[in-house]
Amino acid sequence: MKGKATSFDIAHYAGVSQSTVSRALRNSPLVNEETRRRVHEVAKQLNYKVDKNASNLRTQQSSTLALLLFEDPTSDESQINPFFLAMLGSITRACAKEGYDLLVSFQSSSSDWQADYEDSHRADGLILLGYGDYLDYQPKFKTLIDQHTKFVCWGASVDNRPDLTVSCDNYGGGKLAAEHLLATGRTDCAFIGDASEHSPEFFARYQGFKDAFLAKGVNLNERKMANAISTEESGYHATRSLLANNIRFNSLFAASDLIAIGAIRALKEAKIKVPDDVHVVGFDNIAVASFVNPPLTTVQQDTTLAGQMLVDNLLKLIRGEDVENTLLPPRLIIRGSSV
């Protein structure tokens, strides 16, 4: 064959119409599996490459998804929670697999991100990671819904639209942490995190933890709770405040790994040994959790599956398909901080 192969060439060799070739190359459900396979085989033999610009003009789509990462207070200049960095790789791979480009944008919580991408048509849909104070973001979620923007978010459920959310079973993860500490006999427990509607993921973790203790007839002491955002510094200062008030405990559940790592530092400074004196359990299983001293027991959120599901669900929304709420199961990873 002379020159560059076209979809008409594929249609000729595959024995189908050009419109069927176009549908088959988009993996349209309107084309049966045998025909799709034959079209893809011929396209491969002819070394056919899709002209994305031409295709985008026809479909009025950009073949691009936008990942919006939101400002988070961190101990370095990145201002990106390491948990989200782990998910970024999975999202990137899932987009490439589906033939989509990924536009990654760092957002300030005060910006009008809810309008920018809708107005400019830079992306066919949005993936939102992180949001700070959940109550502050509710009006922005509503704006996206009112504008009919295709979006999905990681974490707490968007009110009345559970299909827009991919999340871990935070309540179940809290129960796993509690059951582990109960099994080790450490029932005098402190909790560090924001157990309020401002941070519904942390709150769900606390509720699951609390209910597991109650099921065993053990009440948690509210004096042994301290607020903290998801940073090492916040976990460190929250733990120090408990110790400064002469509040003692033999186990500690932190709403995130970063909080737990800060808590361990505060305990060490106070000459309190982990795990001999206090067992510590975190949540997330970020990469550094296995390298701290002692290695951190934690509840794992599957970032690989989460990234894949965020992309899959968003593409379903873009195609007008039904999407269900996605709740991923947590897993307890036991390490040296609690044994």
Side-chain angles (χ1 to χ4, degrees):
M1 180 181 295
K2 294 181 180 180
K4 184 178 176 182
T6 69
S7 59
F8 291 97
D9 296 321
I10 298 173
H12 170 73
Y13 286 105
V16 297
S17 67
Q18 189 274 340
S19 59
T20 298
V21 170
S22 296
R23 293 190 187 99
L25 292 176
R26 297 197 307 270
N27 293 316
S28 168
L30 297 175
V31 181
N32 66 56
E33 184 178 349
E34 181 183 347
T35 301
R36 282 204 306 272
R37 185 165 55 247
R38 186 165 73 252
V39 168
H40 279 278
E41 287 175 355
V42 171
K44 184 177 180 180
Q45 291 169 6
L46 297 180
N47 197 28
Y48 175 78
K49 303 294 183 184
V50 176
D51 186 338
K52 290 185 71 175
N53 290 330
S55 177
N56 292 343
L57 285 173
R58 287 194 300 271
T59 62
Q60 296 295 300
Q61 291 185 334
S62 66
S63 293
T64 299
L65 303 181
L67 171 63
L68 307 190
L69 277 164
F70 293 97
E71 209 170 65
D72 242 349
T74 58
S75 57
D76 58 19
E77 293 297 320
S78 71
Q79 293 189 302
I80 300 175
N81 189 317
F83 173 75
F84 293 138
L85 288 178
M87 201 181 293
L88 175 59
S90 174
I91 292 172
T92 303
R93 287 190 295 273
C95 285
K97 180 182 176 183
E98 298 293 338
Y100 272 76
D101 294 325
L102 182 67
L103 173 63
V104 180
S105 180
F106 186 70
Q107 299 290 312
S108 167
S109 58
S110 60
S111 67
D112 290 329
W113 51 264
Q114 77 278 14
D116 290 346
Y117 288 85
E118 174 68 18
D119 295 340
S120 65
H121 301 289
R122 283 185 283 172
D124 300 331
L126 310 180
I127 298 172
L128 313 180
L129 294 185
Y131 44 73
D133 189 319
Y134 183 70
L135 296 184
D136 290 344
Y137 278 85
Q138 281 302 305
K140 295 188 177 185
F141 288 145
K142 184 178 184 303
T143 298
L144 290 176
I145 293 171
D146 291 344
Q147 290 178 334
H148 305 291
T149 301
K150 306 301 183 184
F151 78 99
V152 292
C153 65
W154 168 262
S157 177
V158 177
D159 286 351
N160 303 316
R161 288 295 304 272
D163 55 306
L164 300 178
T165 305
V166 176
S167 63
C168 175
D169 180 3
N170 290 291
Y171 179 87
K175 288 187 68 176
L176 287 177
E179 288 164 357
H180 170 63
L181 290 175
L182 287 165
T184 65
R186 300 299 181 98
T187 60
D188 186 10
C189 190
F191 172 81
I192 299 181
D194 184 1
S196 76
E197 59 186 358
H198 292 273
S199 184
E201 292 171 277
F202 283 8
F203 189 42
R205 294 168 193 178
Y206 170 72
Q207 287 292 340
F209 189 82
K210 177 182 177 182
D211 287 351
F213 266 74
L214 288 175
K216 295 294 184 179
V218 180
N219 288 304
L220 295 181
N221 189 336
E222 291 189 2
R223 291 187 65 247
K224 299 183 180 184
M225 294 175 60
N227 282 336
I229 59 174
S230 193
T231 67
E232 293 179 35
E233 285 301 307
S234 189
Y236 171 78
H237 290 296
T239 305
R240 285 196 61 181
S241 70
L242 291 178
L243 299 176
N245 288 313
N246 203 33
I247 295 174
R248 294 295 181 262
F249 40 87
N250 61 21
S251 58
L252 184 150
F253 175 44
S256 77
D257 287 348
L258 290 176
I259 293 173
I261 291 168
I264 289 174
R265 178 159 64 96
L267 292 169
K268 284 183 176 180
E269 285 185 3
K271 308 300 182 185
I272 296 173
K273 296 179 181 178
V274 178
D276 294 352
D277 302 322
V278 174
H279 284 191
V280 177
V281 177
F283 205 109
D284 284 338
N285 195 31
I286 60 176
V288 73
S290 61
F291 296 104
V292 297
N293 184 24
L296 181 64
T297 293
T298 184
V299 178
Q300 181 184 54
Q301 302 192 81
D302 190 337
T303 54
T304 300
L305 182 57
Q308 180 70 56
M309 293 307 302
L310 284 165
V311 173
D312 288 351
N313 286 8
L314 180 55
L315 293 180
K316 285 181 181 179
L317 289 172
I318 291 170
R319 294 192 295 258
E321 300 173 9
D322 291 335
V323 180
E324 296 180 355
N325 184 31
T326 305
L327 193 65
L328 305 181
R331 185 164 73 99
L332 182 69
I333 309 294
I334 299 175
R335 299 192 181 105
S337 69
S338 66
V339 277

